[in-house]
Amino acid sequence: MKRTILVWLILSVQAVWAQPRQVVISQIKALIAQGEKAESTHDNTRAIGFYQQALNLSHKAQLPAYSILLCVDIGILKSQLTQVSEALTYLRRANEYYHTFREKSVRRRFMIDYSFAIVHIGLTQLDSATHYFNQCSYLIKTHNDSLKSFNHYLDLYYLERSYLAQETMNFTESIALNEEAIRRYKARNKTDDGSGNHYNSLGKSYAALGQFARADSAFSRAATLYASTPLFEAIILCNLTDSQVQQGRASAGAQTLQRAQQAYKRYQRQTGETDADVERRLRQNRAGVYLAQGNLPRAEAAFNELLTFCAKYFPMPSGFRVDAYLSMSRLYEQQRNPAAVRKALDAAVREAYGPRATSPEQAVLPRSLVSALTARADFLARTPAPSPTERAANAREALTTYEQAIDLVASLRRGALLPESKAFLAAKAAPLFEPALSLCYELAQQPTQTDVYTRKAFALFDRFQNSLLADAQLEQRLMRQYLPAPMQAEWRRLSQRLSQLRLVRETGNPATEAELNQTEKSLIEWQQRTDRTHPQYRQALSRVTQLSMTDYQTVLQPGEALLCYAPTPAGLLVLALHKRGALFRRLPVSPAGLDQALSRYRAEVSRNPGIVGSYDNRPGQAVYKLLLAPIRAQLPDLTALTVVPPPNWQIPFEALETQAGRWLLQDVDVGYQFNLSGRLLPPDPVQTRHEALSFAPFAADTGRSPFRMPNGFLLRSLRASAEEATLPDGQSWLGKAASKQRFLEDAQHTRLLLVTTHTYPGPRETALVFHPAETDYLLYPSELQHADLRSVGLAALSACATEKGVQLPGDGVHSLGRAMAWAGAQSVTCSWFNVNDEAQALLARHFFPKLNNGQSIRENWRQARLEFLASPDANRYSGHPHWWAGVALYGGHTPFEPESASIPGWLIGLLAGSAGISGWRLLSRKDRAKKSGL
């Protein structure tokens, strides 16, 4: 009886409690509806008031589901009102409700993380925003079914994340995000009619990359989709106007601007309201069109009107205001008003920094800051000054500004993942180095400042060439330090596959394009997962400092000089670093004169004397007088020369003639480097199975008939390659056994890697050719660079023109030799031009037996060529440098078999700012695997 009464009492209480609970829920819903109505009229302050009343009710009634939703809505609205600190408070409160709520809904978690990301963007804490976006991405991947119908927040996630990628200049990632959003929408609705925002974002990214045809197409599609929504149509048309103005199409821009104004007027007639953002865009477009038309008075008035309008309605830092200041600086420069130019440029920089940033890396608007810093540095560098003192002050400020822009771009580049984004950022930095180095030289002429600005020039040379290679070398080493082996293997697999697919993307195969998009997506997901689970890796990568000249001098040998060249309009800058100091000179040669001299020498040294005839030594003597004679005159005890050549030179220094009949090789040891920091990286302690591994797919005894590729390219037998391949004491693969698959499987397990074969000059890259018995027999640099060749002490490429390739702006030549270094090979031999297989075999007879004699690889390479020149073989081949100087050695500063792999002091200093780097050490090398014969 007591039990029955107790149950009745409980049910009575629940019934009484349920009735007021339903009343409270109804009140909350009514307040939410009022808030949404106020929000639809852009009255955010009033909307927040309704939502706060509803939040108070839901909190008292212990309704966490409503409390979470309301805290998120208030937080977003507060951030839109630039009340970001209060916004963050409400989102933290939402997080507390979530953790106390028994029902851990994936949708609520996604909504909270997305909102945190948006608010952190408002706080200019981009790393934190990226973290929360990564959390969203993880939920999409792991709970896709739960989020499939969560369309509003999913669309917002893709859109806002694409905007963040644009701000950090990762435009390729932004494109991938918007294309994924459009794909999802099409799959859901069988149409793209709701993807106008994403097409608009696509257009912005394509315009930033200079792909204006694609940008205009995306903007046009977005405008069509928003034709029935005049406010959004006006916004899209404003973006299209801006794209057309950037292309110099002032007339087309004026017509599109007129359409945008008409759309905005329709919106006003329909609603009776105004929109500050659209009015700002229209003013900005009007000023840009006037400037493009050359109507300076009207342009100046329009820009001033724009800035006045923005000061009233948009108090927070904004990219459009930076653009306005930069446009005004160009206008004032046309009016010959330098004081006004400087004032506008300074305003642009301040705007891009934001109110709280203390360094370029903390800037609110990093993309805008790069443009503003570059414009200010260019102006200061070219502006005449009334006195030497003022000129020196301008030059110092210009140099500092260039350095800030270069550092910022390098930081953004290391934070990007997809190759297109990295290449874009490398190209973005390329135009900054030449004027910065010229300013270093100008300032170094002051007697008390020579050392200071020579050191600054050295730091710039370190980043001047092969920047992507240097990034990759650093990234791979830090990856091995901070990430587990499975994550490293996944990264290599995805990167290699991405490179393979890019080689065939132009075929137009839909399946290839689909796999390419999926692989890019997987690589982005890898980065997001890595940032979430191993944040110390990304922190270490972002904190790397630059190499110093003093660090580098510690590894130079007595009598050795490192030469770095940089052509400029005023002459050829050369920095010669040696043990006792450095020379920083500008050689009096014009770019046209230098190009002509190099072209003549390159043509002469590379031509086959068996076809053309005797050697003309005058071009080589002329180049020696231009490039080296002034340096050797000041370094009379020079015994070794290490050159970091500009990527387009492609000449053998060792075959320059110091005087008639005497090669430079006979006086000094000549070697090369792709970049400066590569020499200082210690080898990894990787165990090997083979001391030497050779591949000769076209050895003479493997078949007499030449092989004709489908495009008609003929691959003949290489008569001497069999002998060359068997000279190293190790395992040799000849003919059909020398397959690409075997190379990729076995090359990572050897100390000496020799490939003697043909190369195929593809439309974009030069490929190594393996035996064509298998369908996949071409190995391109973009695929090779993702192999794991850390164990390789010397990679010898005995093939034609392996150092030929596409020159990447802001980077180097995308060649097979560079790809070997990228993959981890410590030293590489590669060819400038076509080489003869018999001559290479003769040189190999003198070279490979010396490798284990304890001398450096480059000294052995020099001695082998000197022996060749002193032998009867030299007379047989007429002594023409075509036979012996076509192959360059990159690296090779140490003996082939080093005793141990210790960490140099400079590297510890370089990475001192990285989290946990003080514990980084390399194990001693393990005993090598026994040699295995054929």
Side-chain angles (χ1 to χ4, degrees):
M1 184 67 179
K2 290 180 180 179
R3 188 181 187 91
T4 304
I5 293 171
L6 180 61
V7 170
W8 180 81
L9 285 171
I10 291 172
L11 292 174
S12 300
V13 170
Q14 286 180 339
V16 171
W17 174 251
Q19 188 174 2
R21 191 181 180 92
Q22 290 299 324
V23 172
V24 170
I25 291 174
S26 298
Q27 292 173 343
I28 291 171
K29 287 181 176 180
L31 287 168
I32 290 175
Q34 288 178 287
E36 289 175 344
K37 184 177 180 181
E39 199 175 339
S40 68
T41 61
H42 307 291
D43 191 348
N44 288 357
T45 302
R46 192 158 174 262
I48 289 172
F50 288 121
Y51 291 151
Q52 284 174 328
Q53 293 179 50
L55 177 60
N56 292 335
L57 290 174
S58 67
H59 178 73
K60 290 178 182 177
Q62 298 181 9
L63 297 170
Y66 283 102
S67 297
I68 292 170
L69 175 65
L70 289 162
C71 282
V72 166
D73 284 345
I74 295 170
I76 293 293
L77 291 175
K78 288 279 187 181
S79 69
Q80 291 175 4
L81 293 172
T82 69
Q83 300 170 10
V84 286
S85 296
E86 294 179 38
L88 200 57
T89 300
Y90 275 99
L91 292 181
R92 287 170 178 160
R93 190 172 168 185
N95 209 30
E96 291 173 4
Y97 283 125
Y98 176 82
H99 286 297
T100 59
F101 196 20
R102 286 177 299 176
E103 298 178 18
K104 295 294 187 290
S105 163
V106 173
R107 293 186 177 190
R108 294 188 187 104
R109 181 72 264 164
F110 185 93
M111 184 169 59
I112 293 169
D113 287 338
Y114 163 80
S115 303
F116 267 123
I118 296 303
V119 173
H120 279 290
I121 290 174
L123 289 166
T124 68
Q125 297 170 348
L126 303 188
D127 287 343
S128 296
T130 300
H131 165 77
Y132 285 108
F133 275 143
N134 286 345
Q135 296 292 101
C136 293
S137 176
Y138 175 75
L139 292 174
I140 292 172
K141 186 175 181 181
T142 56
H143 298 85
N144 189 45
D145 290 340
S146 300
L147 294 171
K148 265 185 179 178
S149 58
F150 204 42
N151 303 327
H152 174 68
Y153 273 97
L154 279 175
D155 284 342
L156 286 175
Y157 158 76
Y158 284 113
L159 189 64
E160 295 295 339
R161 182 150 201 177
S162 75
Y163 291 156
L164 177 61
Q166 288 171 4
E167 193 50 56
T168 55
M169 300 178 75
N170 294 327
F171 299 109
T172 308
E173 282 92 329
S174 177
I175 290 169
L177 286 163
N178 283 298
E179 287 181 341
E180 172 66 10
I182 293 170
R183 184 197 66 77
R184 279 178 169 267
Y185 189 92
K186 284 182 176 179
R188 193 168 66 238
N189 301 291
K190 310 304 180 188
T191 179
D192 65 351
D193 58 5
S195 301
N197 271 334
H198 295 292
Y199 279 113
N200 180 44
S201 182
L202 267 180
K204 291 180 181 179
S205 294
Y206 281 130
L209 291 171
Q211 300 177 22
F212 290 110
R214 289 186 171 186
D216 291 357
S217 174
F219 287 138
S220 297
R221 179 58 182 158
T224 300
L225 293 175
Y226 279 125
S228 60
T229 311
L231 180 66
F232 292 115
E233 182 188 10
I235 292 172
I236 309 302
L237 290 172
C238 285
N239 291 335
L240 179 56
T241 302
D242 186 56
S243 173
Q244 291 166 336
V245 168
Q246 287 185 59
Q247 299 170 59
R249 299 167 57 199
S251 177
Q255 293 175 9
T256 307
L257 174 59
Q258 188 175 13
R259 290 174 56 199
Q261 291 169 330
Q262 292 169 351
Y264 181 59
K265 287 178 181 178
R266 288 203 308 275
Y267 165 76
Q268 289 180 303
R269 285 197 300 269
Q270 290 174 7
T271 64
E273 298 174 354
T274 59
D275 187 280
D277 181 59
V278 175
E279 292 194 10
R280 185 270 304 172
R281 291 168 185 264
L282 291 170
R283 284 174 167 81
Q284 184 175 4
N285 283 161
R286 190 178 304 118
V289 168
Y290 285 146
L291 186 60
Q293 292 172 336
N295 192 334
L296 301 187
R298 282 194 164 189
E300 182 177 10
F303 279 123
N304 283 323
E305 181 189 352
L306 169 65
L307 291 171
T308 301
F309 182 85
C310 290
K312 180 178 180 180
Y313 292 100
F314 300 96
M316 294 294 288
S318 58
F320 54 77
R321 197 149 47 223
V322 175
D323 292 340
Y325 285 126
L326 293 178
S327 296
M328 291 187 76
S329 74
R330 293 191 291 272
L331 184 152
Y332 291 136
E333 195 158 11
Q334 292 182 49
Q335 294 177 339
R336 303 181 184 278
N337 187 346
V341 174
R342 179 61 194 268
K343 184 177 178 181
L345 290 172
D346 289 347
V349 171
R350 284 196 305 271
E351 182 76 16
Y353 263 110
R356 292 184 295 274
T358 57
S359 69
E361 289 74 17
Q362 298 173 344
V364 177
L365 306 167
R367 175 167 56 124
S368 298
L369 182 58
V370 172
S371 299
L373 290 172
T374 303
R376 183 166 72 177
D378 288 344
F379 173 72
L380 290 167
R382 66 174 178 262
T383 301
S387 70
T389 302
E390 290 184 51
R391 173 57 199 165
N394 281 350
R396 284 193 297 271
E397 187 178 358
L399 176 59
T400 300
T401 308
Y402 278 128
E403 289 174 323
Q404 290 173 338
I406 290 169
D407 288 342
L408 178 56
V409 173
S411 176
L412 294 171
R413 191 177 65 233
R414 287 194 297 267
L417 183 69
L418 295 184
E420 288 98 331
S421 292
K422 289 182 178 291
F424 169 80
L425 288 163
K428 188 78 174 176
L432 307 178
F433 286 101
E434 180 269 308
L437 286 167
S438 296
L439 289 167
C440 284
Y441 177 77
E442 177 185 338
L443 292 165
Q445 304 316 298
Q446 303 172 57
T448 60
Q449 300 295 312
T450 300
D451 184 64
V452 172
Y453 289 103
T454 299
R455 291 178 181 277
K456 282 183 174 289
F458 181 84
L460 288 168
F461 272 115
D462 179 37
R463 293 171 280 176
F464 182 34
Q465 293 166 185
N466 285 290
S467 57
L468 297 186
L469 171 61
D471 283 353
Q473 290 170 328
L474 173 68
E475 187 175 56
Q476 290 167 23
R477 291 198 169 267
L478 291 177
M479 196 179 290
R480 290 192 286 272
Q481 168 65 18
Y482 289 106
L483 302 184
M487 292 193 79
Q488 298 176 41
E490 182 185 5
W491 175 82
R492 279 195 298 271
R493 177 182 60 79
L494 289 170
S495 298
Q496 189 172 38
R497 186 55 183 156
L498 196 61
S499 297
Q500 292 171 329
L501 291 167
R502 284 210 178 88
L503 290 170
V504 295
R505 79 180 305 172
E506 303 303 329
T507 59
N509 186 325
T512 299
E513 194 67 30
E515 186 183 357
L516 179 66
N517 292 336
Q518 181 57 46
T519 306
E520 287 184 341
K521 180 182 175 184
S522 299
L523 201 56
I524 292 172
E525 289 173 350
W526 178 92
Q527 184 184 40
Q528 294 167 355
R529 187 169 68 252
T530 303
D531 290 349
R532 187 176 66 253
T533 58
H534 296 81
Q536 67 276 21
Y537 163 67
R538 184 61 55 186
Q539 291 166 5
L541 194 60
S542 66
R543 293 176 184 172
V544 173
T545 56
Q546 296 302 321
L547 179 66
S548 78
M549 199 165 78
T550 304
D551 293 331
Y552 206 95
Q553 286 173 306
T554 62
V555 300
L556 291 176
Q557 298 300 315
E560 179 186 1
L562 173 78
L563 287 187
C564 303
Y565 292 95
T568 73
L572 178 65
L573 293 178
V574 54
L575 191 152
L577 182 68
H578 53 95
K579 274 285 189 186
R580 300 188 308 277
L583 299 174
F584 190 22
R585 299 288 182 267
R586 184 163 65 195
L587 305 181
V589 54
S590 68
L594 178 63
D595 288 344
Q596 187 179 51
L598 293 176
S599 296
R600 287 176 178 171
Y601 173 57
R602 192 184 304 114
E604 184 61 32
V605 77
S606 63
R607 66 188 180 91
N608 189 333
I611 299 173
V612 181
S614 60
Y615 179 63
D616 182 358
N617 61 3
R618 289 174 297 178
Q621 291 178 355
V623 171
Y624 174 79
K625 290 177 182 177
L626 282 176
L627 302 184
L628 287 178
I631 303 302
R632 290 192 72 192
Q634 295 183 276
L635 297 175
D637 57 349
L638 188 66
T639 59
L641 193 62
T642 301
V643 185
V644 185
N648 60 332
W649 281 17
Q650 303 272 303
I651 59 167
F653 276 68
E654 52 268 60
L656 297 174
E657 288 196 49
T658 61
Q659 56 189 11
R662 188 163 184 83
W663 312 110
L664 181 63
L665 179 74
Q666 295 170 306
D667 293 340
V668 298
D669 177 16
V670 180
Y672 303 88
Q673 290 175 202
F674 290 108
N675 55 8
L676 294 178
S677 55
R679 176 172 179 175
L680 305 180
L681 293 173
D684 281 330
V686 181
Q687 190 172 9
T688 61
R689 292 202 298 259
H690 310 288
E691 186 64 26
L693 193 61
S694 304
F695 292 82
F698 299 96
D701 58 352
T702 62
R704 296 182 178 178
S705 300
F707 175 79
R708 188 177 297 275
M709 293 175 63
N711 62 0
F713 192 79
L714 200 64
L715 303 170
R716 62 176 179 82
S717 295
L718 299 173
R719 292 175 295 175
S721 65
E723 177 194 356
E724 185 178 1
T726 54
L727 282 171
D729 185 11
Q731 186 162 8
S732 303
W733 299 108
L734 308 180
K736 290 183 179 180
S739 67
K740 174 183 172 181
Q741 185 62 33
R742 176 163 282 154
F743 173 88
L744 293 174
E745 290 174 356
D746 292 354
Q748 60 186 305
H749 302 298
T750 186
R751 287 286 299 138
L752 170 60
L753 180 61
L754 169 62
V755 184
T756 171
T757 184
H758 288 290
T759 53
Y760 170 67
R764 293 178 58 83
E765 302 177 28
T766 297
L768 280 177
V769 183
F770 289 88
H771 198 279
E774 298 179 359
T775 55
D776 185 11
Y777 58 90
L778 297 177
L779 181 59
Y780 288 93
S782 55
E783 181 180 2
L784 172 61
Q785 69 188 28
H786 297 297
D788 186 0
L789 302 182
R790 288 174 290 152
S791 68
V792 177
L794 173 62
L797 298 180
S798 183
C800 291
T802 52
E803 199 45 29
K804 294 287 186 184
V806 176
Q807 183 176 340
L808 306 176
D811 195 30
V813 175
H814 200 45
S815 66
L816 287 161
R818 191 179 92 141
M820 284 284 186
W822 190 303
Q826 296 147 37
S827 307
V828 183
T829 64
C830 43
S831 52
W832 304 117
F833 43 77
N834 290 346
V835 293
N836 179 272
D837 60 309
E838 293 182 5
Q840 292 307 303
L842 289 172
L843 280 166
R845 287 182 195 174
H846 296 285
F847 176 54
F848 288 120
K850 300 178 185 296
L851 273 181
N852 291 313
N853 64 4
Q855 291 185 316
S856 68
I857 296 173
R858 61 182 283 175
E859 177 59 29
N860 286 324
W861 180 235
R862 180 189 181 220
Q863 291 300 325
R865 292 193 286 183
L866 290 175
E867 290 175 11
F868 174 84
L869 286 171
S871 70
D873 294 325
N875 293 327
R876 174 185 169 192
Y877 287 104
S878 72
H880 193 298
H882 170 84
W883 305 114
W884 59 268
V887 176
L889 173 63
Y890 281 81
H893 307 282
T894 58
F896 175 65
E897 189 68 36
E899 293 180 3
S900 64
S902 60
I903 296 286
W906 78 269
L907 187 59
I908 295 175
L910 178 67
L911 299 176
S914 302
I917 199 63
S918 59
W920 185 18
R921 64 183 185 273
L922 297 178
L923 302 174
S924 300
R925 288 189 179 277
K926 297 183 179 179
D927 293 335
R928 301 294 175 199
K930 292 183 178 180
K931 301 176 183 178
S932 56
L934 182 62

